[in-house]
Amino acid sequence: MSLLGNGKRMVTVTINKNQYLAEEGEIFLLTANRLGIDIPHLCYEKALEPYGACRLCMVDVVTCGKTDMTPACTIRVQNGLEILTDTPQIIKHRNLLFELYLAEAPKSEVIKEMAAKYGVTKTRFLKKIVHDDPLQGKCILCGLCVRVCEEIMGASAISFINRGPYTVINTPFYEHNPDCEGCAACAKVCPTNAIVFEDIGTNRVMQSWSDTTVPLMICPECGKPFAPQRLMEKVLTKPESGLIEEIKDLCPECRRKYFTLREIRKIPTNGGQA
Ligand code: SF4
Ligand code: FES
């Protein structure tokens, strides 16, 4: 064991029978990826507490000669940790999951490409067909969008609805939801690019969420719509936003111009020469 400058300890872990140094407490999935050990994964998102939803990142944890299948995103590195990432049972589990995801999200190129990389190109399961699917046949029901909306944005505008094979993500009763702030954080975290939204004129239309329509803020300087109004109001009322009064309503581009001009005005016109 050794101590890093940031006070964290480097410990020894064994992965596929090889020993490595790793940072104590780090999420094992990240350690493995950093060491170039490939573990497929879909639902890990650093802004959220890992919760092992997609089950794709399963590895075998070896303890006293026995193995225990565990999602790599829920394991924290500790000294002496021993992991196997590609045992026959892991490969079998992974391939089965890819087949399930190919059926659950038959239009997802992300899933198709990932599955093909591991040699899975077909599914024995019945493909899910949802007519006029607002998630374009790409949703694997990982729940990341629901969690980011609730846990990070505090909006809870979307949720799992229906049950069993009919489960989907959407707004309550598939209706326009005034709780949606149009932040599009859901689309950013979605691992399969299932969520669709578009800025149309002065509105953001969350097409996947029952066409929930959110007005955009208009920059008073250049007149361009740039960010959802309610989201901006929320951000601007936070003292930590740090934005000064003259620029707080401006779009990012006009803010940049403001600062550039301010810097230019500070330079003496004679180039600073006496
Ligand atoms: S829309 Fe995307 S983030 Fe939301 S559950 Fe489906 S796959 Fe996951
Ligand atoms: S990334 Fe670990 S379970 Fe999904």
Side-chain angles (χ1 to χ4, degrees), residues 155-174:
S156 300
I158 48 172
S159 58
F160 287 90
I161 48 180
N162 303 329
R163 287 196 182 168
Y166 305 106
T167 308
V168 289
I169 310 282
N170 216 300
T171 51
F173 308 107
Y174 297 94

Side-chain angles (χ1 to χ4, degrees), residues 29 41-44 52-57 71-73:
L29 177 67
H41 56 94
L42 283 166
C43 74
Y44 173 73
C54 76
R55 313 311 269 184
L56 253 189
C57 70
C73 64

Side-chain angles (χ1 to χ4, degrees), residues 135 138-145 169 186 190-192 194-195 209:
L135 294 169
K138 295 180 179 178
C139 176
I140 56 159
L141 297 172
C142 70
L144 271 183
C145 52
I169 310 282
C186 51
C190 176
T192 58
I195 299 165
W209 310 142

